[in-house]
């Protein structure tokens, strides 16, 4: 760590991990409700617990992105953050608003929360991922503006690197597209149409820029490969992301009442969306193979490579699986979608967050370069536990999805939804059991911050392998 | 380059060939000539033009190794798919 | 002389070119197979296209590609001024393409044709417009290269930038070579 103001990142990372734990606990609750329908009913109905699971996910990922930005922007710009106090203030505001909202979901029926927060004045609540009360949404906008101003001015003041500019572009996009959360047309076609501008254009557009730039930063730091090489890769990845991802939104416009040409546009362009993810995989492995030095923080390199592989699998492969209109006709809204959603979110955005945390946290806590061996070994265990669990969760949900599609939509004698659900219950049980393994992995992960923190730093055994 | 010069540079010959093939294609088009022969004639020209552009303009002719065939392979793939799709309908 | 193992220009542009070619390839195949299911429709509406405009545009792109070849040849002889002039000529041809294509679009739109009119027009408009955007992008790249050439940033020894821009521009030309017979002529 070179700049004092980078320290604020630590707060953000800690909050991110805390909320991550909450997300998984609620994942287990809704997973249990899939098996025992009235588990915790009526205290905590499925829809509200589900909202907690998904909103905690989004919020902690954004906490992580902000932490990442506060860490890497000063380092790249070679100057202190312009307003570290603002970053701290916004942290507490964001955390308080988030916590209040989650508590709201948990302690009262959704309709009461809507009434309490005066949703009638300016209705925006209730849509998936955008369930938050309007006032929370406004709070998010304030936090986002302050955040963008902070890192924007820092970038303006200091050295302008490609990584910083791409990151700023991605974060600005994140804020801009969030504004569509306030747009709530009564026509349900338009409503869905713009809803995807938040959801899709986030994860398959601007967030990918964030992902690319954080990945590039970690690779520069851990491999010592020339910045110019990495920047060139970043350019093509960004270009391909935008070309395919923007029009690729069409893969959500097949059956919502939009014109038919979207079936073509959506199919063709989204079929190409795996390309940038694939490039990222090639990019990461290429850079690590060309490395000029071995970095003592092996865990961070593992997370970075893991991101590149799992993002390609989850988004690229599992996304492609159901993205062509004739396939999506059958799979739309089934467990196939959930399978893809889990692996893509984990592989791309959870893992990139854990990668930057893994790289930065030791430095923020006063280490020279890396944690002790003991703590890294534990962290790598958690990597494998969580990653393998999510792979299995994905496989079980995919199996459930295939059966669901067949029994409910494809066979000659289609069965009703709930009948099918009871026939595929076995997979929900397996998913829940695997979820427990995931939780174990997460506990190991948290433990890795405390174990071995008094032991000496890991060092590199064996000097530099490759020359350029 | 020490290839023999026939009055014009090689790339100019390529350019003139491309123009010629284009004019034939246009002629087929404006006269609404149809059927397998004409359709695949102009399509064959298109693939040939593609190969000329790849070889001479993009310079792949002077490259060794896999990149030498990048454009060629693309043309073969597109050629096969389009031919397969058109064949029965003409 | 040993042949180089890498194509001219920056390798990254070639990876980009491959990705773009894949996109166009999929689009072409989708067109062809969809046409196979709607032969009547495609044959009928294909006749409403302007083959003369397409001829002008094909010639414009070929010519501009040729000019770009000459620009690369000039810089290899260390002549940046000439390189700059050839690039300007290529840009002029690109502009001609954009104008003619816009006139075609204007004609179709003034007849109330849009993406939802029928499947043929959906493909015609999408494919040509996707290509249109590539012409614009290619011209932006060429313009950037041309301005650098004028400032004398390239030399016979180091002109990767010129080759990079040139390779991309040839790709834009190459794709149109297929598009022209496929959409305007074959029936
Ligand atoms: C990291 C990137 C990605 C993430 C985080 C992600 C996440 C998700 C999520 C959560 C959903 C469910 C949305 C809902 O209905 O609630 C979804 C749907 C979908 N995703 Fe992705 N996705 C990503 C990339 C991709 C890519 C690259 C493709 C295509 C190649 C793709 C194709 C689809 C399709 C077709 C659907 C709609 C499924 C349906 O009709 O039910 N996704 N995605
Ligand atoms: C302990 C592990 C987990 C369990 C048991 C679990 C369970 C669930 C359940 C039951 C749903 C509701 C599906 C529905 O509405 O039908 C869900 C949705 C979702 N979960 Fe998880 N989850 C887990 C971990 C995760 C992780 C690690 C992530 C992020 C990487 C995640 C992201 C999501 C997303 C994005 C959705 C919405 C998906 C959709 O609607 O298609 N979950 N989860
Ligand atoms: Fe999407």
């Amino acid at each position: 760590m070179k700049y004092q103001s980078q320290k604020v990142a630590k707060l953000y990372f800690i909050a991110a991990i805390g909320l991550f734990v909450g997300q998984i606990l609620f994942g287990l609750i809704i997973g249990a409700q899939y098996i025992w329908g009235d588990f915790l009913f009526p205290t905590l109905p499925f829809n509200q617990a589900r909202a907690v699971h998904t909103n905690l996910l989004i919020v902690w990922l954004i906490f992580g992105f902000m932490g990442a930005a506060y860490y890497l922007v000063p380092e790249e710009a070679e100057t202190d953050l312009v307003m570290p106090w603002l970053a701290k203030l916004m942290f507490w505001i964001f955390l308080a608003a988030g916590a209040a909202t989650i508590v709201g979901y948990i302690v009262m029926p959704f309709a009461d929360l809507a009434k309490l927060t005066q949703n009638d004045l300016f209705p925006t609540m209730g849509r998936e991922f955008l369930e938050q009360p309007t006032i929370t949404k406004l709070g998010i906008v304030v936090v986002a503006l302050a955040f963008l101003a902070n890192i924007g001015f820092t970038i303006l003041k200091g050295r302008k690197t490609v990584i910083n500019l791409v990151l700023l572009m991605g974060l600005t996009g994140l804020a801009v597209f969030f504004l569509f959360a306030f747009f709530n047309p009564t026509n349900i076609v338009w409503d869905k149409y713009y809803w995807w501008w938040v959801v899709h254009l986030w994860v398959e557009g601007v967030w990918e820029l964030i992902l690319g730039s954080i990945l590039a930063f970690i690779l520069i730091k851990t491999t010592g490969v020339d910045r110019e090489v990495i920047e060139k890769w970043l350019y093509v990845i960004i270009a391909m992301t935008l070309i395919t991802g923007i029009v690729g939104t069409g893969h959500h416009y097949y059956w919502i009442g939009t014109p038919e040409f979207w079936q073509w546009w959506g199919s063709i362009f989204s079929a190409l969306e795996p390309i940038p993810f694939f490039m990222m995989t090639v990019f990461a492995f290429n850079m690590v193979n060309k490395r000029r030095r071995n970095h003592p923080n092996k865990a961070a390199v593992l997370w970075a490579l893991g991101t590149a592989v799992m993002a390609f699998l989850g988004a690229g492969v599992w996304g492609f699986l159901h993205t062509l209109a004739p396939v999506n006709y059958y799979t739309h809204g089934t467990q196939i979608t959930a399978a893809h959603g889990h692996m893509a979110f984990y592989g791309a955005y959870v893992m990139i967050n854990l990668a930057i945390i893994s790289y930065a946290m030791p430095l923020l806590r006063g280490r020279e370069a890396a944690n002790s061996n003991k703590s890294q070994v534990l962290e790598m265990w958690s990597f494998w536990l969580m990653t393998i669990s999510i792979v299995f969760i994905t496989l079980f949900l995919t199996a459930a999805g295939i059966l669901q599609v067949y029994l409910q939509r494809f066979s000659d004698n289609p069965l009703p939804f709930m009948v099918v659900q009871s026939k595929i219950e076995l997979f929900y049980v397996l998913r829940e059991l695997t979820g427990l393994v995931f939780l174990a992995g997460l506990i190991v992960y948290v433990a890795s911050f405390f174990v071995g923190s008094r032991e000496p730093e890991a060092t590199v055994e064996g000097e530099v392998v490759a020359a350029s | 380059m020490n290839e023999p010069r026939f009055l014009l540079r090689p790339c100019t010959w390529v350019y003139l060939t491309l123009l010629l093939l284009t004019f034939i294609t246009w002629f087929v088009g404006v006269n609404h000539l149809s059927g397998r022969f004409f359709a695949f004639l102009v399509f064959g020209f298109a693939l040939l033009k593609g190969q000329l552009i790849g070889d001479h303009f993009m310079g792949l002719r002077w490259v060794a190794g896999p990149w030498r065939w990048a454009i060629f392979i693309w043309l073969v793939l597109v050629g096969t798919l389009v031919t397969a799709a058109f064949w029965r309908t003409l | 002389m040993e042949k180089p193992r890498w194509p001219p220009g920056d390798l990254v542009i070639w990876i980009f070119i491959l990705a773009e070619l894949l996109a166009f390839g999929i689009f072409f195949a989708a067109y062809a197979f969809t046409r196979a299911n709607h032969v009547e429709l495609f044959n009928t509406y294909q006749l409403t296209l302007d083959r003369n405009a397409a001829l002008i545009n094909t010639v414009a792109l070929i010519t501009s590609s040729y000019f770009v070849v000459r620009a690369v040849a000039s810089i290899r002889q260390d002549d940046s001024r000439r390189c700059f002039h050839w690039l300007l000529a290529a840009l002029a041809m690109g502009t001609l393409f954009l104008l003619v294509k816009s006139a075609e679009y204007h004609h179709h739109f003034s007849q109330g044709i849009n993406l939802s009119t029928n499947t043929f027009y959906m493909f015609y408009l999408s494919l040509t417009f996707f290509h249109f955007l590539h012409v614009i992008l290619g011209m932006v790249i060429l313009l950037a290269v041309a301005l650098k050439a004028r400032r004398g940033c390239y030399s016979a020894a180091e002109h990767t930038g010129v080759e990079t821009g040139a390779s991309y521009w040839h790709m834009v030309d190459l794709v149109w070579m297929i598009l022209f017979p496929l959409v305007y002529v074959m029936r």
Side-chain angles (χ1 to χ4, degrees), chain A residues 194-229:
Chain A
Y194 288 110
W195 179 80
W196 284 111
W197 284 32
V198 187
V199 178
H200 169 100
L201 288 179
W202 265 10
V203 299
E204 288 156 75
V206 289
W207 284 31
E208 264 181 82
L209 308 194
I210 302 175
L211 166 62
S213 57
I214 298 179
L215 189 61
F217 175 79
I218 298 175
L219 290 172
I220 286 187
K221 292 290 168 181
T222 54
T223 66
V225 170
D226 274 349
R227 187 173 277 277
E228 293 86 76
V229 180

Side-chain angles (χ1 to χ4, degrees), chain A residues 283-450:
Chain A
F283 165 58
F285 279 88
N286 219 332
M287 294 306 115
V288 172
N289 284 336
K290 279 195 192 153
R291 67 186 178 275
R292 296 263 182 78
R293 60 165 179 264
N294 282 327
H295 198 276
N297 193 341
K298 289 207 203 109
V301 178
L302 181 64
W303 282 113
L305 291 178
T307 307
V309 173
M310 293 300 292
F312 174 67
L313 278 182
V317 178
W318 255 262
F320 184 81
L321 221 59
H322 60 161
T323 205
L324 299 176
V327 178
N328 191 266
Y329 180 74
Y330 291 103
T331 62
H332 180 56
T334 61
Q335 294 299 326
I336 306 262
T337 308
H340 154 70
H342 278 85
M343 185 132 84
F345 256 117
Y346 176 81
Y349 301 119
V350 170
M351 288 184 87
I352 193 62
N353 264 305
L354 299 187
I356 185 74
I357 292 176
S358 177
Y359 172 77
M361 213 45 170
L363 306 171
L364 289 168
R365 295 171 82 200
R367 295 280 198 179
E368 278 297 312
N371 279 331
S372 66
N373 253 330
K374 198 165 170 188
S375 139
Q376 285 198 45
V377 167
L378 219 54
E379 190 180 342
M380 291 197 254
W381 266 96
S382 78
F383 169 96
W384 290 110
L385 280 172
M386 288 195 277
T387 305
I388 292 174
S389 308
I390 215 77
V391 168
F392 274 94
I393 288 179
T394 305
L395 290 174
F396 292 139
L397 290 179
T398 307
I402 291 172
L403 281 174
Q404 182 188 6
V405 167
Y406 181 78
L407 296 172
Q408 191 185 315
R409 297 185 176 167
F410 199 83
S411 82
D412 291 335
N413 306 303
L415 300 173
F417 178 84
M418 282 315 283
V419 174
V420 173
Q421 290 300 309
S422 62
K423 283 189 190 293
I424 57 181
E425 189 185 316
L426 172 64
F427 292 101
Y428 297 137
V429 175
L430 292 172
R431 185 256 306 265
E432 186 71 351
L433 292 174
T434 321
L436 289 171
V437 180
F438 191 101
L439 180 65
L442 183 57
I443 293 171
V444 174
Y445 178 73
V446 174
S448 78
F449 286 89
F450 301 101

Side-chain angles (χ1 to χ4, degrees), chain B residues 18 21 25 40-53 75, chain C residues 174 176-182 186:
Chain B
L18 292 173
L21 297 177
T25 306
F40 288 122
L41 178 77
V42 296
F43 189 57
F45 283 176
L47 297 176
L48 178 61
K49 282 155 80 179
Q51 185 61 18
L52 285 172
I53 291 175
L75 289 168
Chain C
L174 165 68
W176 181 264
M177 290 307 116
I178 309 286
L179 198 158
F180 167 44
L182 186 67
M186 290 169 74

Side-chain angles (χ1 to χ4, degrees), chain A residues 229 232-233 235-236 239-240 243 259-261 264-265 268-269 271-272 275 279, chain C residues 10 12 15-16 19-20 22-23 26-27 30 34 115-116 119 122-123 126 130:
Chain A
V229 180
K232 250 187 258 161
W233 274 93
Y235 279 131
V236 240
M240 279 322 289
I243 291 176
E260 189 185 317
F261 69 84
W264 290 100
W265 284 30
I268 292 175
F269 284 88
L272 297 165
I275 294 176
M279 286 177 172
Chain C
D10 201 305
V12 167
I15 292 171
F16 194 54
E20 297 264 49
L22 182 63
I26 291 175
F27 232 132
T34 309
L115 285 168
S116 299
T119 310
M122 193 288 291
F123 268 108
S126 315
F130 188 46

